[in-house]
Structure formats: C-alpha cells, structure tokens
Amino acid sequence: MTVPSASRRDRKKAATRQAIADAALQLFLERGYDQVSIRDIADAADVSTATVFKHFSGKEALVFDQDEDRESQLIAAVRQRPSGQSIPDALRHHILDTWPSIEAHPQAAEFTNLVNSTPVLRAYAERMWTRYTDSLSAVIADEFGVDHDNLACVALARFVLEIPVLARGRQDRRAAVEAIFDILTHGWEPPSKPPAQ
Amino acid sequence: MTVPSASRRDRKKAATRQAIADAALQLFLERGYDQVSIRDIADAADVSTATVFKHFSGKEALVFDQDEDRESQLIAAVRQRPSGQSIPDALRHHILDTWPSIEAHPQAAEFTNLVNSTPVLRAYAERMWTRYTDSLSAVIADEFGVDHDNLACVALARFVLEIPVLARGRQDRRAAVEAIFDILTHGWEPPSKPPAQ
DNA sequence: GTAGAAAAGTGCAACGACTCTACTTAGCGA
DNA sequence: TCGCTAAGTAGAGTCGTTGCACTTTTCTAC
C-alpha cells in the first residue's frame, strides 16, 4: 500500500502506530468500544498511554485509522473531472467509484456493526464527512468563479457529503446513491405509494 | 411560558434546574465554555456537581437549555399542515415562522457567538438538528403511506434539517432558507457568475 | 566513528467530565 | 403522625486527555 518508508525512524514510528491501531481494533471488536480503555490499548500494544495520544488525536480516531485523505480525493474529483462533466456528476462518479473499495475489506461487517452500535462513533463518522464541507464548497465555488461562501455551493457540498451517511445500511447502496443524486439534480418528488400488498 | 407547576416539589425542582442553567450561561458568556468547569457552575448555583448531572445530561446540554420540543413542533408542522400544502412547503413555512423568534431573544448575539466559537458546541448544535432525522422522516413516510425508511423521505428529512445549519450566519437568513428549499424542490443549478466588479 | 541535535517514547502527576454509592433532607399522601 | 419517594449531598473512583521532566533511539554532520 504505502512505500516502505525512508528512514528507520519513520518505519518504527509507523510500526508503533500500526501496533496501536491493531490492538485497538481487536479489543474494540472483542469487547465493544466503551468496554475498552486507553490503558487497555496501550498495554496490549506495549506502549504508554501518552504514546497513544502522540499518534492519534483521540479515542475515536483509533477506530477510523485509514480514512485520511478523502478530503484531497474529493477535491481532486472536482478539479480534475473530464471536461463537459457537471460537478454533481463528477461527485456522483467519485462516490460510486471509491466507496465500495473501502467497504470491501475483510471484517467490514463487524466493523460497520461496531460503528453503528456505538453512538459516539456514529457521531464521529458523520462529522468526518461533513467536516469537509468548507473545502469542498470552496473548490466548487472556485470552479464557477463565485465567492467561496456562495450559498448554492455550500449547500451542494453539504448535501453531497450527507449522501454516504444516508446510503449507509441500504441493501443496494449504489442505487441509493443514484437516487439521492437524482433528488439533488432534479428536485425532490413525493415517493410513489407501493402496490398495496 | 410554562404552567406554575403543580406541587411545591416540582416547583423547587424547576427552580434548581433554572438556577443551574442561569449560572452556567452567565459563566460561559463571561469566561468562555472551556474556561468554566462543572464545579464552577455547581458552586455558583450552590448545588453539588452530582445535582448538575441529575438535571442535565452533560456539559453541552447546559448551553442548549430551552430547545426541547422542536422535535414535536416539527412533526406537528407536517401532520397539521393545511390541506393541499406540500410537505416541503409546510416545513419551509415552519422553519421561517418559528426560527426568528428563537434568535430574537436578548443576548442572542453573544449566545450565537459563544456557540460558533466553541467547536464542541458547534458539533452539538448540528447534532441536535440531525438527531430528529428519524422521527421526521417517519412522519413524512406515514403521510405518503410508504415504509418508514423510504429513501426519498429520509433524504428529505435530513436535508431539511441541515437547512438551519447552512443558513446560520448568513446576513439574510430568510432568503437563504428560501434558496435552499428551492434547490431541494426544483433541483440544484450552477450559481450565476456575478458581474465582475 | 563520534558528538550532539531531534524525535520517539516513558512514567507520573494532574485536571475535568462523569458515575456510583451510601446517606441526609424535604415534600407528599394517608 | 408515619412512612414513601424523590431531590440533593459528599466523596471516592473511572476514564480521557494533557503536561512535564526524563531516557532512549535514530539521524546528521563533522
């Protein structure tokens, strides 16, 4: 995945970080998030608690280890879209392309279950997405040459970033993503009543 | 506002709660959220720290005292809308009607400033709104006779509940609310480039 | 190679939010 | 008047998180 790292120092640093993240995930899956303390994790990874916080900003961040550069990917998807493609289309494709690979790694089911069953983790996951609102809306506004806080651009960014949250847990996620983009681009319409069964 | 309360016990309970909330707000506005501890608040209100947590679920809840029954108001706005009015319209009117009154009480500016300048409070405020997604979408789905987790209904609920967050801080909030509802009902359109100035 | 800067890690004390438990107090209903 | 119950208290304890002074490891430049 990542380059074997330049220096020995960097390699060791990465190894400690990984050891902590691994220990944390294993313990969380075993006992549940709230039943694991930072001290437990530090002990399992054979480091001090201070070291844990040198590598991770907080307890929740231990769970969402790999999700870092989604922000830059998001911005790139807008900036480097094929000419002629609309921004909503570019975002739609980006979400459909990159998302399944994230969900496809082993333990995905257990992991999803862990997050969904722990309120503080649900909240953190939602915030992870919406935190990008500012930078995404700034890029969109840039593409149109309007102010960075242009309302339409901020709204689009925010709504698009809600889509993964809304589609999470659906049986057919791709269809859900498409359907929500449809609402955004063509306007909301009342749902059709299903044939009474 | 509220009925003088039945029993003496209930009156005293309400008084204690109010004393805590008042002390908290005053201290927060004076020193800032992070510079006030629960102990400070308890001392100022002349109660024990345990009592604070008997009345409020956590430190953040001390700030958002009065905002309780927004959820039921929201649901009522959908359920009791004039016949012939669409649900998005009902929600639009409800937000435009009830919201200014909340922001119009004295200290509004200081209060808004307090929330906006404290990250943990911003996060809490946003979650307050989106927490109602489930119940609002359930009502909407009910009105159409579809499943409670119908995607279009959940998406509408979620997006509508984002509107106050998005409109916060705009110079003309009413116009912002209208504009975002326009996006939701008619579809998103690229912003028009302003005349280069 | 070796000295010394720089960074990673440690151990410990401390703070603040929050919980728990056992206890007192005060209102309420008979 | 006698309990019952709910509100409040004191105090100890847990847990996340930070700060500090210190040791160890690795890198860099001579």
Side-chain angles (χ1 to χ4, degrees):
Chain A
M1 203 62 73
T2 53
V3 176
S5 271
S7 59
R8 171 196 244 96
R9 185 137 72 187
D10 286 356
R11 247 177 293 128
K12 290 213 166 183
K13 184 177 179 181
T16 340
R17 183 194 168 92
Q18 195 58 44
I20 296 169
D22 289 349
L25 185 58
Q26 184 187 339
L27 289 174
F28 286 154
L29 291 176
E30 270 176 29
R31 305 187 209 157
Y33 182 78
D34 292 320
Q35 277 60 56
V36 178
S37 76
I38 297 285
R39 274 119 180 157
D40 294 337
I41 296 166
D43 287 351
D46 200 33
V47 295
S48 74
T49 69
T51 302
V52 173
F53 290 105
K54 286 251 170 67
H55 286 276
F56 298 91
S57 58
K59 193 179 178 186
E60 302 103 324
L62 284 162
V63 177
F64 301 97
D65 189 14
Q66 40 231 331
D67 317 292
E68 290 114 11
D69 42 20
R70 280 217 270 247
E71 187 171 20
S72 47
Q73 290 176 342
L74 217 44
I75 287 167
V78 172
R79 275 259 149 78
Q80 297 157 18
R81 71 190 187 279
S83 70
Q85 189 178 49
S86 78
I87 288 181
D89 267 4
L91 288 168
R92 181 166 57 93
H93 283 121
H94 177 248
I95 289 181
L96 288 172
D97 288 349
T98 65
W99 196 26
S101 65
I102 292 171
E103 298 274 332
H105 73 78
Q107 300 177 314
E110 289 171 275
F111 181 82
T112 304
N113 187 40
L114 171 70
V115 174
N116 287 343
S117 65
T118 312
V120 57
L121 290 183
R122 280 186 58 92
Y124 188 88
E126 294 189 10
R127 271 191 70 66
M128 272 191 51
W129 282 103
T130 56
R131 175 171 300 138
Y132 307 147
T133 304
D134 285 351
S135 40
L136 179 57
S137 69
V139 178
I140 296 173
D142 251 12
E143 293 286 313
F144 288 113
V146 298
D147 282 348
H148 276 197
D149 67 341
N150 177 280
L151 185 60
C153 298
V154 177
L156 178 64
R158 182 61 161 230
F159 290 158
V160 165
L161 290 174
E162 291 285 347
I163 291 178
V165 177
L166 288 168
R168 166 171 298 171
R170 298 277 158 182
Q171 66 291 19
D172 186 347
R173 279 191 280 248
R174 297 186 69 86
V177 171
E178 301 272 13
I180 302 173
F181 266 105
D182 240 53
I183 293 175
L184 286 183
T185 52
H186 299 124
W188 183 83
E189 301 209 355
S192 52
K193 192 180 284 184
Q197 192 256 4
Chain B
M1 207 63 71
T2 50
V3 176
S5 272
S7 58
R8 172 196 243 95
R9 187 136 74 183
D10 285 356
R11 248 177 292 127
K12 290 212 165 184
K13 183 178 178 180
T16 316
R17 183 195 167 92
Q18 195 58 43
I20 296 170
D22 289 349
L25 185 58
Q26 184 186 338
L27 289 174
F28 286 154
L29 291 176
E30 270 176 28
R31 304 188 210 158
Y33 182 78
D34 292 319
Q35 277 61 56
V36 178
S37 74
I38 298 286
R39 252 215 147 76
D40 295 336
I41 297 166
D43 288 351
D46 200 33
V47 296
S48 74
T49 68
T51 303
V52 174
F53 291 107
K54 285 248 170 69
H55 286 277
F56 298 91
S57 58
K59 193 179 177 184
E60 302 102 324
L62 284 162
V63 177
F64 302 97
D65 188 13
Q66 40 231 334
D67 318 290
E68 290 114 11
D69 42 19
R70 279 218 272 248
E71 187 171 21
S72 47
Q73 291 177 342
L74 218 43
I75 288 167
V78 172
R79 276 258 148 79
Q80 297 157 18
R81 72 189 186 281
S83 71
Q85 188 178 50
S86 76
I87 288 181
D89 266 4
L91 290 167
R92 182 166 58 93
H93 283 121
H94 176 249
I95 289 182
L96 287 173
D97 287 350
T98 65
W99 196 26
S101 65
I102 292 172
E103 299 273 333
H105 71 78
Q107 299 178 316
E110 290 170 274
F111 181 82
T112 304
N113 187 39
L114 172 68
V115 174
N116 287 342
S117 65
T118 313
V120 58
L121 290 182
R122 280 186 59 92
Y124 189 87
E126 295 188 10
R127 270 192 71 65
M128 273 192 51
W129 283 103
T130 56
R131 174 172 300 138
Y132 308 146
T133 304
D134 286 352
S135 40
L136 179 57
S137 69
V139 179
I140 297 173
D142 252 12
E143 293 286 313
F144 288 113
V146 297
D147 283 347
H148 276 197
D149 67 341
N150 177 280
L151 185 59
C153 299
V154 176
L156 178 64
R158 181 61 162 232
F159 289 158
V160 166
L161 290 174
E162 291 285 347
I163 290 177
V165 177
L166 288 168
R168 166 172 299 171
R170 298 276 158 182
Q171 67 291 18
D172 186 348
R173 279 192 280 249
R174 298 186 68 87
V177 171
E178 301 272 14
I180 302 174
F181 266 105
D182 240 53
I183 293 176
L184 287 183
T185 52
H186 298 125
W188 183 83
E189 301 210 356
S192 53
K193 192 180 284 185
Q197 196 256 1

